[in-house]
Amino acid sequence: MSQADFPSPWRANYALLLLLLAYILSFIDRNVMAVLIGPIRSDFAISDFQYSLLHGFAFSMFYIVMGLPIARLADRHSRKWIVTVGLVAWSLMTCLCGTARSFFTLFLARIGVGVGEATLSPAAFSMLGDLFPKEKLARALSIYSLGITLGGGLAYVVGSTVYEWFASAEQLVLPLFGEVRPWQMTFIAVGAPGFILAIFLGFLSEPVRRSGTVAAGTPAAGAPVAGTPAAGAPEVHHGLAEIGAHLRRHFRAYMAPIGSVAVLGILGYGTMAWYPEFLIRTFDMPRGEAGSQFGLMFLIAGSAGTLVGGWSVEPLMRRGYQDAPLRIILAVSALWILPAVLGPLSGSPTMAVWMAAPIVFFLNAHYGVGVAAVQFITPNRMRAQVSALMLFVTNLFGLAFGPTAVAMLTDFVFGDDLALRYSLAVLPLLVCPLAIVLVLQGMRGYRQAADLE
């Protein structure tokens, strides 16, 4: 399929910008809790493990499950409206987190945030595949994946700043809800911008669906050259049985990117949830300072990692490496271990903050690459559903279990809040070698699947 068959660069990049902004807001809304651990624990009298259920499990349990049926809708209906409605929903639920009066009501609100955010990535991945040709897709996906670093970093910087501002203000009272705490107003403040972005998304044009596969350089057999259904031809949708057969046929190929990204997600989400709190507990760093300094590192080094990882795919593919995405994930898995161990064991707050730079660089260098790896071997009409399956697996391990894994080590193995640093240092020794094994077992199968496409 030629470049002329795709939307103009301006239209494609404008859509990419709106999807990126939505992704940024989603990560701000889901991760702002990381700078509110102390106040929430204090108000609700809960442990690290109980807090981790709010941060990870409550959000992810429905985020994971709802992603699959929502992705099936995205393969059949308007993807931009699915994203728009979801944005309004998760923004509203983030604001409602600020009205929670108990552990249970905050738990329910976090579930709502997860349900709303489940609409975004499967539909966005599918839209981007119809907006950009293969040679530019990995780069577009890496730019979209900047939402993780920009949103994650801003969650710490903006969240800590907003919290400190409300904490220094006089007693806060809202109509209907009465007195609210500074951490509650922080939720409301970061949730509100989503309603504005939803207006712009509502006016976005739905991209034309393309025939064939993302990886294919030509249309599928019998498909019209322009990438749209022939006049009078029925629109083809892949059923669950056909998708299952495709995944079984290329099981090892899919296991490599999906499995490795899933286990690396345990380390990634565990680090994102607990590193600022480690700075606070170990070095008595003020909460606002810990959040802003880690957030700044996340913004700069994390964004660099996302771009370097995504932009490294194209040069390797030009050299004939069909498994280029897997080679990058393999390198990240090996290089991440040392800084991830040494950072939490740093002897000073300055060293701990600077060590966060390579940690978050590698934390973000693999995700967009993993998504691209799956896209390259997946037929077009299966993309949203297979992407949702990838999100299901990676979030089940990373988002749901990552923060809890760190908390379980702290509460049940070390039994001391101040041992949080050791929990963070142990985790990479457990997950990175497993990721390496998962990539190595699937490289040959991935090359075979890529050749078929």
Side-chain angles (χ1 to χ4, degrees):
M1 184 177 295
S2 68
Q3 174 68 58
D5 296 323
F6 287 85
S8 67
W10 185 93
R11 179 183 167 193
N13 289 324
Y14 176 69
L16 174 59
L17 174 62
L18 293 184
L19 292 172
L20 171 61
L21 290 174
Y23 207 28
I24 290 172
L25 289 181
S26 76
F27 266 83
I28 293 175
D29 292 352
R30 76 174 69 172
N31 286 327
V32 70
M33 286 191 74
V35 297
L36 305 176
I37 295 175
I40 293 174
R41 282 192 62 193
S42 177
D43 278 6
F44 294 155
I46 56 176
S47 66
D48 274 1
F49 178 72
Q50 289 173 301
Y51 166 81
S52 75
L53 297 180
L54 292 171
H55 188 104
F57 183 73
F59 171 87
S60 63
M61 60 187 295
F62 279 90
Y63 177 81
I64 293 169
V65 173
M66 293 302 295
L68 295 173
I70 290 173
R72 195 156 177 80
L73 291 175
D75 276 339
R76 287 162 166 74
H77 302 288
S78 173
R79 294 159 291 184
K80 69 110 174 190
W81 280 118
I82 290 173
V83 172
T84 302
V85 171
L87 173 57
V88 172
W90 90 62
S91 299
L92 175 62
M93 298 308 294
T94 300
C95 292
L96 290 178
C97 286
T99 67
R101 300 293 183 179
S102 67
F103 175 89
F104 180 70
T105 54
L106 183 53
F107 191 95
L108 291 179
R110 287 287 290 175
I111 289 176
V113 176
V115 172
E117 292 195 16
T119 64
L120 179 56
S121 284
F125 293 155
S126 179
M127 290 176 70
L128 292 173
D130 289 333
L131 290 165
F132 295 91
K134 176 188 174 182
E135 63 273 13
K136 296 184 178 180
L137 180 57
R139 187 171 298 182
L141 286 169
S142 71
I143 293 174
Y144 173 75
S145 296
L146 281 174
I148 300 174
T149 57
L150 297 177
L154 288 172
Y156 302 112
V157 175
V158 174
S160 59
T161 302
V162 171
Y163 173 79
E164 293 291 340
W165 190 83
F166 283 119
S168 65
E170 298 181 358
Q171 185 181 39
L172 303 167
V173 179
L174 290 181
L176 302 179
F177 298 105
E179 181 183 355
V180 291
R181 310 282 286 179
W183 66 264
Q184 293 173 308
M185 283 302 304
T186 303
F187 275 117
I188 295 171
V190 300
F195 299 113
I196 299 174
L197 180 59
I199 297 173
F200 290 91
L201 277 168
F203 286 100
L204 184 68
S205 298
E206 175 76 11
V208 176
R209 295 183 186 271
R210 308 290 153 184
S211 300
T213 64
V214 167
T218 59
V225 175
T228 56
E235 189 175 0
V236 178
H237 295 292
H238 290 292
L240 292 178
E242 188 176 357
I243 294 173
H246 176 77
L247 293 175
R248 288 192 298 271
R249 188 162 54 250
H250 302 292
F251 177 78
R252 294 171 75 91
Y254 279 100
M255 177 59 69
I258 294 178
S260 60
V261 171
V263 297
L264 290 176
I266 298 174
L267 177 58
Y269 279 104
T271 300
M272 290 172 66
W274 290 104
Y275 207 91
E277 188 67 15
F278 142 69
L279 296 174
I280 295 167
R281 294 185 188 180
T282 303
F283 303 111
D284 291 324
M285 188 178 291
R287 185 166 301 277
E289 182 181 345
S292 60
Q293 290 196 20
F294 181 73
L296 186 61
M297 284 296 179
F298 205 92
L299 280 167
I300 298 173
S303 298
T306 299
L307 293 175
V308 169
W311 290 25
S312 298
V313 174
E314 185 177 346
L316 288 176
M317 292 185 70
R318 286 178 177 173
R319 295 179 184 178
Y321 294 108
Q322 292 274 48
D323 57 0
L326 298 190
R327 290 173 180 262
I328 294 171
I329 297 174
L330 184 65
V332 168
S333 302
L335 295 173
W336 195 356
I337 298 176
L338 187 60
V341 172
L342 296 180
L345 301 180
S346 298
S348 69
T350 301
M351 180 60 67
V353 170
W354 280 108
M355 285 301 296
I359 292 174
V360 298
F361 178 92
F362 292 119
L363 188 159
N364 292 284
H366 69 283
Y367 181 72
V369 175
V371 172
V374 171
Q375 299 281 299
F376 288 166
I377 58 173
T378 303
N380 182 288
R381 290 292 180 177
M382 298 182 185
R383 283 205 314 264
Q385 292 172 83
V386 174
S387 295
L389 177 63
M390 180 180 185
L391 289 171
F392 179 93
V393 176
T394 56
N395 286 316
L396 180 64
F397 283 87
L399 187 55
F401 186 61
T404 300
V406 176
M408 290 177 67
L409 288 170
T410 304
D411 282 353
F412 305 135
V413 175
F414 297 109
D416 183 1
D417 282 359
L418 293 179
L420 174 59
R421 65 189 310 181
Y422 303 116
S423 301
L424 289 169
V426 166
L427 201 57
L429 299 175
L430 301 176
V431 303
C432 288
L434 179 57
I436 291 172
V437 171
L438 288 167
V439 172
L440 291 175
Q441 67 80 36
M443 294 188 77
R444 181 179 179 184
Y446 186 87
R447 289 192 293 268
Q448 292 173 344
D451 286 337
L452 290 175
E453 301 300 341

